[in-house]
Amino acid sequence: MNDITLKNQQEQDEFEQNQVIITPGQMVAKRFFRNKLAGVGMGVIIFMLLFCFIGPFLSPYGEYEIFYINKATGEEINMNDPAIKESGVGLNLKAPMSAAHPLGTDADGRDVLARLMYGGRISLTVGICVVIVELLIGITLGGIAGYYGGKIDMIIMRLVEVFYCIPFIPLMLIISALLVGYGVSPQYKIYYIMIVLGILNWAGVARMVRGQILSLREMEYMQAAEAAGIRTYKKIFKHLVPNVMPIIIIMATMDVGSTILTESVISYLGVGIAFPYASWGNMVNAVNSSVILKNYLNIWMPPGICILLTVLAFNFIGDGLRDAFDPKMKR
């Protein structure tokens, strides 16, 4: 009998050793990659990152190279050649799609595919940097408001309401006029735009974080942290904020897509990235002519498709993360 008991114990020990322990992070990843649309979104974002950040190094053309077509011979001329510039030969035309220019050239004679890569690099950078700025401000103020409550909470929430009431487009027009008036170079205008967009968008993050922390601060582990005498900033940023991180990740993912869309809108209105620098938004701005709209789809449609795919991909990822972090979702 003892031999049988010992054998059963050994089998039980071997069974327990062979069991794979799944951590919460692995469970979330498993749920996320089970979502097909989220997987498609991840694939699209990886492709866009490679296309925009690696592609320019493989492209034979630069962002600012101008190509002319000789009206008499039909030959293409690179106007960046000093000798050609001095001769004045050639006519600036929108070149059609060809082996040399797969997406043709735009109204200024620049290769559309090359500018699509450089423009995507700026649009994605703006989206990511703006989200980082809004998260830094929103998490800090939302965490302070939710933890302290009282007058501090009231002041921060009134500030949130003020930022919700700011008219976005008129403010961006005023800021753009100020930047032009003070002679800010287009090269540095992008940094001001990222800071302004980040400052204007933090209110939603702060409100969400504050609401979550108001409920979390009454939990038992927070009472234990209070009894242990842990400093306030550690209780906020080491105990409360990490428990809000799933919601923050979901908000950040969706906000990247909406920020890219916002940058495209303001660039289309002439407020965003200034010429000659490319972004997907100001590339679509070329469609302000009915002739280009009807006859030159290769100029404005590719950046429009890139915006559509990228924003959809980030939304798919955000939906997938929301479902993966939710333990109540049926799988």
Side-chain angles (χ1 to χ4, degrees):
M1 188 69 179
N2 293 333
D3 293 339
I4 296 175
T5 304
L6 181 61
K7 185 177 180 180
N8 290 338
Q9 183 65 36
Q10 290 176 349
E11 290 178 353
Q12 182 67 23
D13 293 341
E14 290 178 0
F15 176 78
E16 291 178 356
Q17 290 175 0
N18 293 330
Q19 288 295 307
V20 178
I21 300 175
I22 300 178
T23 63
Q26 291 173 336
M27 189 176 296
V28 168
K30 185 178 179 180
R31 290 174 179 171
F32 175 78
F33 287 108
R34 197 180 293 173
N35 189 318
K36 294 182 180 180
L37 287 178
V40 171
M42 284 290 294
V44 171
I45 296 304
I46 291 172
F47 171 78
M48 288 298 179
L49 290 173
L50 293 175
F51 176 74
C52 297
F53 289 92
I54 305 298
F57 295 104
L58 306 177
S59 174
Y61 308 115
E63 183 180 3
Y64 311 113
E65 284 189 79
I66 301 175
F67 296 90
Y68 279 64
I69 296 178
N70 192 314
K71 192 172 183 180
T73 63
E75 296 178 354
E76 185 179 270
I77 302 170
N78 186 345
M79 289 303 293
N80 293 279
D81 185 353
I84 298 294
K85 280 185 177 180
E86 293 178 1
S87 65
V89 177
L91 179 66
N92 188 8
L93 294 175
K94 308 172 191 68
M97 293 185 289
S98 62
H101 302 284
L103 295 178
T105 62
D106 61 11
D108 299 299
R110 294 179 170 87
D111 184 75
V112 173
L113 182 60
R115 287 179 66 79
L116 198 65
M117 296 177 185
Y118 286 99
R121 179 185 292 183
I122 288 181
S123 294
L124 289 171
T125 301
V126 168
I128 294 171
C129 291
V130 167
V131 168
I132 291 174
V133 172
E134 73 178 49
L135 288 181
L136 289 175
I137 301 174
I139 292 173
T140 302
L141 294 180
I144 293 172
Y147 179 80
Y148 286 104
K151 292 183 179 180
I152 295 177
D153 180 28
M154 184 188 68
I155 293 171
I156 294 178
M157 286 302 100
R158 297 298 80 76
L159 188 62
V160 166
E161 292 171 1
V162 169
F163 273 84
Y164 270 127
C165 296
I166 295 176
F168 177 73
I169 296 297
L171 179 63
M172 292 304 300
L173 290 170
I174 293 170
I175 292 173
S176 178
L178 288 174
L179 293 177
V180 173
Y182 282 101
V184 176
S185 171
Q187 182 179 358
Y188 300 105
K189 188 178 180 181
I190 180 175
Y191 301 110
Y192 291 98
I193 290 173
M194 288 191 293
I195 293 172
V196 171
L197 289 177
I199 292 174
L200 291 177
N201 293 334
W202 66 269
V205 178
R207 175 170 285 182
M208 179 65 69
V209 172
R210 176 249 187 190
Q212 293 295 314
I213 288 181
L214 280 175
S215 61
L216 290 173
R217 71 178 183 177
E218 304 300 330
M219 296 292 183
E220 288 80 0
Y221 69 89
M222 285 305 299
Q223 295 177 4
E226 186 76 27
I230 298 177
R231 294 182 178 180
T232 301
Y233 76 89
K234 286 187 177 181
K235 285 187 285 187
I236 295 175
F237 294 105
K238 289 191 176 182
H239 294 281
L240 289 175
V241 171
N243 284 283
V244 190
M245 197 54 68
I247 296 176
I248 293 174
I249 293 173
I250 295 168
M251 287 190 64
T253 307
M254 292 188 169
D255 281 354
V256 171
S258 63
T259 303
I260 291 175
L261 204 58
T262 301
E263 182 276 326
S264 302
V265 171
I266 62 176
S267 293
Y268 178 80
L269 295 175
V271 180
I273 310 303
F275 187 84
Y277 299 96
S279 75
W280 287 341
N282 65 16
M283 289 181 70
V284 175
N285 190 30
V287 80
N288 55 13
S289 168
S290 60
V291 175
I292 296 178
L293 176 65
K294 295 178 181 178
N295 302 321
Y296 297 97
L297 301 180
N298 61 299
I299 293 179
W300 61 270
M301 188 170 284
I305 292 174
C306 287
I307 293 171
L308 173 65
L309 292 178
T310 304
V311 173
L312 278 178
F314 276 114
N315 287 337
F316 287 156
I317 293 173
D319 289 338
L321 288 172
R322 181 195 59 200
D323 296 343
F325 279 112
D326 188 357
K328 299 178 183 178
M329 291 296 295
K330 295 181 179 181
R331 296 296 175 187

